[in-house]
Amino acid sequence: MAQFPSFKIGGLSRSLSTTSALDSEDTINKDINQELNIIFDLAVNAELNEKVNFYSELRLGSSLEVFDTSASYIKIRRILLFGHVSKHVKFEVGDIDVKMSPFTLWNNEEEGVISENNLFSTYREIQRYENFNVGNNWRRQGAKLNGTNKLSSKDSIYSQFFISREQASNEISIPDRFLYGESLDFVRPRFSIGVHHVDLFTFNRGIQQEFNLHNHVYSLHSTYKRDKIILSSEIGQSSRTLINSIINSVIEPWLNGQFLNLNLNYQYANNSYVELNYRRVTDDFSSPGSQTKRIDFSSSPNLFSTVNNNISPRDILISDLVNDITFFRQNSIYNRTIDYDLDQFNPLFGLTQPYGISTPNRQGFDLDFFYRDSLGIINFLVGSSYLTDLSGEGTENLRSYIQFRFNAKLSINKLINLNRQITIHAGLKSDRVNRSHPEELFVDNVNVNSVLLDAGTEVELFKKFNFLIAYKKLGVNGTDYLGVRNEDFSISSFELFDVDSKQEILSAGFSYDFNKKTTFLINFQRIGYDNMSDLNSFSFNQFFALLQLRF
Amino acid sequence: MRTSNFIIIFLFSFLFSCKKETFVGPPIETYFGNLTISESFSHNKPVGVDFSNGDTLNFSAEFSIQAEFNINIVGRTSGANFNINQTSQNLENTFWLGESNTIFFKQYEWCDITLSFNGHDTILTDSVLILGVQDFSQMGKLLTSFEDPSEYNVVNGSSTVTNNIISNVNLSVHGTNFLEIRGEGQGTYFGATRFQFNNGTITEPEASNIYFNGFFNSSYSGSAVVVKFFEDHNNNNQYDAGVDEAWSFKQSLSDDNLWHKLSFNLNDFNVDISGNNVLVDGVINTNNIIRIDVICSQQGTAFGEYGFFADYYLLSYNEPL
């Protein structure tokens, strides 16, 4: 008898209808947008033999704006071969997920999230799913090996190696670009120590370019646990240079940047902790794997990319990060390219750490206090960061960055013992950036204030039938001078950031859970943007109907 | 020494070793400080500049900051203008070769030059006399500037009212003469200017690198210009409808009675299959082009009066005029 592979099938289906309308004063450009998309993702997990498994996601989709089959399509979302090379080594080939530490290889969360209820989080999950953002992993195409060796009953060694092709050569002027990395960790119950290394490099064989760019990041990290205290540290260096591929020698001095991160976590109760973090990242620390942004802020939003009767191109708003959903990757504002050089960021979304914890030229402390009660009535996080520039930018004086953050979720029904679910979400993030200049410079001081507010509630009106309302607002005002970096990562000039703007989303809707795996959500929302600096303001309304099914 | 002590010393030595002694980037005040002019605004041609000789007008000035500046040059007679926008602390690399935004500057014309700064009130002025204008025909093939009637043929249609040359140095874009073409009716052909030449006259092989450029001025609402290229596929040095291939591009014109410079890339032209014309290979073979017609037309098919003034038809290679 032939041995047939065993299969498991799962997946999800979504139907999303969106109707968007610009306000009545905005009439010349396209002011109504309607989309209706249905997708069906079929996941197949096949055990081909003892050593090799196969996983794939097949998408059947259709845009139902036109009632014929020309708008239907089939495509492969993911293919992965995985299994065991030996007893201790696993392999993955295809669309792999990779991450290391927040300073070496890390897909930082997109901006604008503090505490969202289902009205926002449902669409944000779709964005992340559509753009392959699983946790802090980067989805790459390549190969990965994971090793686990038990040295004794308590001690283990974990190892990882991966390589991916980031860019294909055009055989004329664009070289191949590869990313590879390896890590080795020795783990004991109370202590661990390990090393990480990542290199993003060009490979110019076959094209007219003599130089290859390498960007290495090395780190050494360790963890020590005692009772409820966890001490961890990570220290490392980035090194980037051009190497002449003909004579195989470095033609420019290596640009070295360093970082240090110390963390103390005290778990004072089950699921509750206090965390103190200190970090120091130099201005020339270059880590493409951890500094690449999840959002491509140089792109334009798909919806109403110009406003005010075609006069003003529209930047990406906080609502676009949640709701500008496209089922076609090439149109997405979400980025998947890991490249040299710091990505463009939108200063409206925060200046404190636009590239996450590995943002260059920062030093300072973060303190977070998290509490979750045993009955699940409330959980909240209160935190604050006090950071400064490590080196002055354009002046000896250092900017200071003070951030306060708070998010909470309160289950009223558990508090007053109700059968119907009533939940309140609330969040606030406030940033203040300051730097004073001597009067003789005749340069205005840096002074930027921003507030991101997130609030929402869900009320179960009937069994499994919920009313939801949510509000999000981002207000920013002030002046800063943003460093513009050269190809060699150094700051060559400054760009004035002078703004007084606010943007907000007010959304309300209903959801019905047919069962745990099937939900229906309809909501209406109004999005407003006001920029008092250049008198640019606009608003638009959106209506969504979303049916989701998992199986 | 215990390992833990070593690690602590290592971490703390790292802690204080990374900070730079000085600040990074250029001084902030050189970008956003007080603007003062340390060297006054002037240029290197106080007697006059002859662009026909390849002269360059070099500007000079020096400021206290990296300023975003604008130099605006306006011809007193022609009204032609040219803008230079740059960011710098001086005008070391700022020059003018005689080019214009729309219509041309004229010979022996005085030009007013204004230097202004974005975000600052400071305005500095100067002037220059143009002794000779730039010869743009070097950019490709000059079809005509309507100074020499042998360069073109006048083709009239049944609805043509006027298809003549007007001589007025103050009104023309280039030289003395310009074309007036006008018609009346509900058709789309009110006459044309025709250029005929041999195979291989157009030397640029890539259609995407060729631009038809011309200056047009209309006061008739709904007017349009159609440019047609004719290929000679059968090498008999003439266009045979049904055998050879023709390409056309239509552009509506503003009726604001002002000169506008228009540039059409050959890649944007479509195969003309009207009348007896046919599709041959669907590829513009630039070497085969033997005729160009610039036609007075209208946007639709309504009865009315349509027309324009035109001057300086140029085929430029690699970039538009």
Side-chain angles (χ1 to χ4, degrees), chain A residues 54-339:
Chain A
F54 171 78
Y55 176 84
S56 79
E57 289 172 11
L58 178 71
R59 167 163 291 188
L60 311 176
S62 185
S63 172
L64 300 178
E65 291 165 88
V66 285
F67 289 95
D68 60 42
T69 54
S70 64
S72 302
Y73 56 91
I74 300 176
K75 60 184 179 184
I76 307 279
R77 257 179 63 86
R78 189 180 187 190
I79 286 186
L80 184 69
L81 273 176
F82 64 101
H84 288 82
V85 175
S86 68
K87 184 182 172 186
H88 301 294
V89 181
K90 294 179 191 170
F91 77 91
E92 290 180 19
V93 180
D95 300 314
I96 57 174
D97 283 330
V98 289
K99 75 171 178 183
M100 285 185 173
S101 73
F103 290 91
T104 49
L105 186 63
W106 196 260
N107 185 350
N108 289 300
E109 194 176 65
E110 70 276 14
E111 288 85 345
V113 191
I114 320 178
S115 179
E116 295 178 336
N117 73 358
N118 277 332
L119 270 183
F120 295 144
S121 64
T122 302
Y123 296 106
R124 193 180 290 281
E125 276 173 25
I126 296 174
Q127 285 281 34
R128 290 176 177 174
Y129 174 82
E130 288 300 320
N131 294 288
F132 309 105
N133 292 308
V134 182
N136 297 106
N137 287 284
W138 282 110
R139 173 71 55 84
R140 319 313 295 166
Q141 287 191 315
K144 184 165 82 167
L145 292 172
N146 280 303
T148 308
N149 285 73
K150 279 271 182 192
L151 300 178
S152 67
S153 61
K154 292 181 177 177
D155 302 342
S156 302
I157 284 185
Y158 296 96
S159 57
Q160 181 189 185
F161 172 80
F162 75 89
I163 184 163
S164 67
R165 191 188 195 192
E166 299 295 311
Q167 175 180 272
S169 170
N170 66 355
E171 303 291 335
I172 301 167
S173 57
I174 299 172
D176 276 309
R177 192 168 65 232
F178 292 94
L179 177 73
Y180 77 95
E182 60 274 356
S183 64
L184 189 65
D185 293 88
F186 171 71
V187 179
R188 305 197 70 183
R190 284 190 167 185
F191 176 74
S192 73
I193 189 163
V195 288
H196 293 159
H197 168 241
V198 182
D199 181 20
L200 180 69
F201 68 97
T202 56
F203 185 68
N204 62 12
R205 178 164 293 180
I207 68 162
Q208 293 174 337
Q209 182 176 305
E210 292 179 359
F211 310 112
N212 279 320
L213 205 154
H214 280 261
N215 197 132
H216 296 276
V217 184
Y218 314 89
S219 85
L220 170 70
H221 65 97
S222 61
T223 307
Y224 176 73
K225 295 177 189 171
R226 179 151 194 158
D227 300 329
K228 294 179 176 178
I229 293 175
I230 304 171
L231 274 167
S232 56
S233 71
E234 187 172 9
I235 185 169
Q237 173 164 298
S238 69
S239 299
R240 57 183 272 164
T241 193
L242 287 172
I243 292 180
N244 188 315
S245 55
I246 297 171
I247 57 174
N248 200 27
S249 69
V250 174
I251 57 153
E252 281 185 8
W254 288 88
L255 176 75
N256 296 321
Q258 295 82 26
F259 74 89
L260 166 70
N261 191 57
L262 303 172
N263 189 276
L264 170 67
N265 183 294
Y266 173 61
Q267 192 170 346
Y268 61 89
N270 279 346
N271 300 319
S272 301
Y273 62 84
V274 180
E275 191 169 86
L276 178 65
N277 195 82
Y278 173 79
R279 89 183 92 140
R280 190 178 172 90
V281 187
T282 62
D283 67 282
D284 37 21
F285 177 67
S286 168
S287 175
S290 63
Q291 290 168 341
T292 292
K293 291 198 68 69
R294 188 177 280 190
I295 306 296
D296 177 6
F297 282 106
S298 63
S299 65
S300 298
N302 291 296
L303 179 69
F304 306 138
S305 55
T306 56
V307 289
N308 295 325
N309 292 319
N310 258 353
I311 293 171
S312 319
R314 183 169 79 78
D315 284 337
I316 292 170
L317 300 180
I318 208 159
S319 62
D320 297 314
L321 306 188
V322 184
N323 293 115
D324 196 6
I325 296 169
T326 171
F327 292 98
F328 302 96
R329 261 293 315 160
Q330 66 273 19
N331 299 332
S332 178
I333 57 172
Y334 278 64
N335 171 47
R336 283 194 64 207
T337 306
I338 295 179
D339 203 348

Side-chain angles (χ1 to χ4, degrees), chain A residues 235 258-260 278 280 282-284 390 392-395 441-442 481 491-494 496, chain B residues 10-11 14-29 31-34:
Chain A
I235 185 169
Q258 295 82 26
F259 74 89
L260 166 70
Y278 173 79
R280 190 178 172 90
T282 62
D283 67 282
D284 37 21
L390 185 59
E393 292 186 0
T395 168
L441 294 189
F442 296 101
Y481 311 94
I491 293 176
S492 59
S493 64
F494 296 96
L496 178 66
Chain B
F10 176 71
L11 290 177
F14 186 87
L15 203 66
F16 297 102
S17 64
C18 310
K19 188 173 177 176
K20 286 195 165 64
E21 294 298 318
T22 58
F23 60 82
V24 293
I28 192 86
E29 64 272 19
Y31 280 81
F32 303 102
N34 200 23

Side-chain angles (χ1 to χ4, degrees), chain B residues 247-286:
Chain B
W247 300 81
S248 75
F249 185 87
K250 189 173 192 173
Q251 174 70 48
S252 56
L253 300 174
S254 305
D255 60 352
D256 56 6
N257 203 15
L258 295 171
W259 285 106
H260 294 276
K261 181 169 65 183
L262 301 179
S263 298
F264 316 134
N265 186 269
L266 255 63
N267 253 10
D268 297 330
F269 281 57
N270 298 310
V271 177
D272 182 5
I273 49 172
S274 62
N276 294 328
N277 297 325
V278 292
L279 171 73
V280 178
D281 60 6
V283 177
I284 301 179
N285 303 293
T286 60

